[in-house]
Amino acid sequence: MNHTQRDGGGHSHGHHHGSAGHDHSHDLRSAGKRSLVAAFVLIAAFMFVEVAGGIISGSLALLADAGHMLTDAASIALALTAMYFAERPHSVQRTFGYHRLEILAALVNALALWLIVAWVLFEAYDRFTSVTGIDGGLMLGIGVIGLCVNLGAARILHRSSSHNINIEGAFLHVIADLLGSVGVVISGILIWTLGWTLADPIASVIIAILILVSSWRLMKKVVHVLLEGTPEHVDVYQLCSKLEAVEGVTLVHDIHVWTLSAGNEALTAHILIDPDYPGDAEDLRLRLRDIIYNDFGIGHITLQVEKSLEGCSEDHHFDHLATPVGSAD
């Protein structure tokens, strides 16, 4: 789909989605939905078994893992809901639709992981100061089953997680739970064979730390998107250089690149062209738009073509000609 609009002031818009790219994106979202549904059924079904086993065996590590499985199911349900709303059509009130709901869902998932960490650490502290009887054999058996369930759910979500930050949030929940299951199995073996009940709160603390570490990367990505940060795969310096290498382009300025949702980026920029450029400005703009879309995967493109900087009111020009921070001299 290709929409183009141009007004007398040279302010033109390009919303460019090739049919192949659109179909590929739709296929990825459909595959992501199927993965989320399958993982939800698998996790929700086992969650009740783990809760009962944790209560009967008296294992905090097992209950912590069961609690995390509950948030796994909730995070997947949240991801599915966000994907549903993200597909609703745009409106005058929401010109970008509901795409940001996927980012907000990922944020909620990350915060939920941190709440789990706080609860597990609090309960583990209490276990360190009091002796509790634990059925190591039952704990081990349920832990092994839980490990298999989490391995299956992680495998289902792995492929789709690389294409959608929302699904990545659910995937990280499952990975953290997978690590928790490993901790449950190890502590179950130690309690069953050696009677060492301290292995339970120790495993719980390790699980909490691993969950915190796994969620930190997700939180950083979510905050980066909410702060309108440049997408990781877009090098603004390279992008500007490619555009300025096109005949007729003098300068690219007032450029902004940001992410609306996973795989949905936007760009606005002012293009200063040579006043003596003999070609058609609209044809030049279309060439620049194609470079931005094909080379950098940006679909929402707004370019303002100018022949002079006079009258440009922006006071926040991005100096893309400066040496990037951290680059070699």
Side-chain angles (χ1 to χ4, degrees):
M1 182 171 61
N2 186 357
H3 301 293
T4 302
Q5 178 182 351
R6 180 179 174 85
D7 61 26
H11 191 179
S12 53
H13 307 268
H15 184 183
H16 188 181
H17 293 293
S19 59
H22 179 77
D23 292 341
H24 179 63
S25 177
H26 178 74
D27 290 343
L28 289 175
R29 292 183 67 83
S30 297
K33 283 183 182 179
R34 291 194 297 271
S35 297
L36 286 170
V37 171
F40 177 81
V41 172
L42 192 61
I43 289 172
F46 181 73
M47 177 186 65
F48 296 102
V49 175
E50 199 164 35
V51 169
I55 294 174
I56 296 172
S57 67
S59 168
L60 172 61
L62 202 55
L63 284 174
D65 199 42
H68 190 221
M69 279 198 128
L70 175 62
T71 64
D72 286 349
S75 70
I76 292 173
L78 183 63
L80 284 167
T81 302
M83 292 182 76
Y84 167 77
F85 277 100
E87 292 178 349
R88 295 184 64 178
H90 302 173
S91 66
V92 175
Q93 291 77 23
R94 294 180 177 84
T95 56
F96 278 124
Y98 293 82
H99 291 294
R100 274 295 168 88
L101 279 179
E102 294 191 31
I103 306 301
L104 294 177
L107 175 64
V108 171
N109 278 333
L111 293 175
L113 285 167
W114 290 0
L115 289 175
I116 293 170
V117 168
W119 175 77
V120 171
L121 290 177
F122 177 79
E123 290 294 327
Y125 173 78
D126 183 63
R127 289 296 180 95
F128 277 117
T129 57
S130 61
V131 179
T132 304
I134 300 173
D135 186 339
L138 179 60
M139 177 183 175
L140 175 60
I142 296 177
V144 170
I145 299 173
L147 179 61
C148 295
V149 169
N150 283 309
L151 280 171
R155 183 176 180 181
I156 291 171
L157 293 176
H158 175 66
R159 183 176 180 181
S160 298
S161 67
S162 61
H163 303 294
N164 189 301
I165 191 174
N166 187 30
I167 298 178
E168 181 182 353
F171 174 68
L172 286 178
H173 268 267
V174 173
I175 288 298
D177 204 26
L178 174 61
L179 296 172
S181 295
V182 173
V184 168
V185 170
I186 294 175
S187 58
I189 292 174
L190 292 174
I191 294 171
W192 186 40
T193 59
L194 303 177
W196 190 41
T197 56
L198 278 179
D200 183 58
I202 291 174
S204 301
V205 171
I206 294 174
I207 292 169
I209 294 173
L210 292 174
I211 292 174
L212 187 62
V213 171
S214 69
S215 64
W216 179 248
R217 177 174 171 269
L218 174 64
M219 180 62 79
K220 285 177 62 179
K221 292 179 70 173
V222 169
V223 171
H224 185 72
V225 171
L226 293 178
L227 291 178
E228 310 288 0
T230 303
E232 292 181 359
H233 70 277
V234 177
D235 185 331
V236 176
Y237 296 97
Q238 183 184 28
L239 189 155
C240 290
S241 295
K242 279 198 171 187
L243 298 183
E244 290 173 349
V246 176
E247 181 184 1
V249 177
T250 302
L251 177 68
V252 177
H253 67 102
D254 192 31
I255 183 169
H256 302 273
V257 189
W258 70 100
T259 300
L260 298 170
S261 63
N264 192 3
E265 289 83 22
L267 175 147
T268 64
H270 289 203
I271 309 296
L272 181 65
I273 66 174
D274 187 344
D276 299 324
Y277 176 64
D280 182 70
E282 176 64 10
D283 289 339
L284 177 60
R285 188 194 67 80
L286 292 175
R287 288 173 58 195
L288 298 177
R289 187 199 62 185
D290 288 341
I291 291 174
I292 296 169
Y293 177 76
N294 294 319
D295 293 358
F296 297 91
I298 300 173
H300 293 271
I301 304 167
T302 302
L303 300 177
Q304 179 166 315
V305 179
E306 308 165 333
K307 290 191 176 182
S308 171
L309 289 176
E310 293 182 6
C312 184
S313 60
E314 285 79 6
D315 58 358
H316 48 275
H317 298 298
F318 175 68
D319 184 11
H320 65 273
L321 299 179
T323 303
V325 176
S327 63
D329 294 332

